[in-house]
Structures are given as C-alpha cells and as structure tokens.
Amino acid sequence: LTETFGEKSGKLDVNNAGAEAIANRLREPLQRASVAMPEEDLQKLAKDIAEYRATHGGLYRNIDELSAAGVKPEVINIAKQEL
C-alpha cells in the first residue's frame, strides 16, 4: 500500500483498531495537551470507542461521531489528529 499510495498519514484507523491500540495512540497526545486522564479512564474511553463502533454499524464516518460514545470535546480534538 505504501508503494501505491505513498507514506501513511500516521493516524490510527479507528474503524479497525482495538481498544488497546486506541488507548496507546491517545495516551501521549492527551498528556502533551495537558488533558488529565488516569490510565483507568483512558482504558475505559478506548473500550467505549471500540464498543460503540461495534454496536452502531461498525464504522465511524467522521471522528466527531465519538461524541455519541461519550467522548468529551477536548478529547475529540486530539482524536482528530491521531485517529
């Protein structure tokens, strides 16, 4: 794919990623943005994102749909850069 389409964007494909991958991708950017989130909350957030996707058609068409999964706006802004 890289040969055909060029370099990856570096974003995580939220429609195919599991909860652990989502948590790993968001952890550092949240810390850099000073969004306080204990590890337990981060794990729950990632699980909620993956579960919402699985129970609502299997795809996020727009990262703003994360708000329906209970994600706060400041986290969505970071997710837009990472997912």
Side-chain angles (χ1 to χ4, degrees):
L1 288 175
T2 302
E3 289 178 27
T4 303
F5 298 105
E7 219 174 292
K8 297 183 347 178
S9 70
K11 293 185 175 186
L12 181 69
D13 181 357
V14 71
N15 286 318
N16 291 303
E20 183 176 347
I22 294 169
N24 289 339
R25 179 52 67 100
L26 292 176
R27 184 178 292 108
E28 190 174 316
L30 288 168
Q31 290 172 347
R32 280 195 313 262
S34 298
V35 176
M37 184 170 293
E39 184 64 25
E40 183 178 303
D41 292 348
L42 175 62
Q43 294 297 326
K44 183 181 180 324
L45 169 69
K47 182 181 173 195
D48 289 348
I49 290 170
E51 284 181 358
Y52 182 87
R53 176 194 67 214
T55 58
H56 290 83
L59 292 174
Y60 283 104
R61 290 174 285 292
N62 183 308
I63 207 71
D64 289 316
E65 292 178 47
L66 293 176
S67 64
V71 180
K72 295 178 181 178
E74 61 269 19
V75 176
I76 290 175
N77 289 334
I78 293 166
K80 286 179 179 179
Q81 298 170 24
E82 300 297 323
L83 306 177

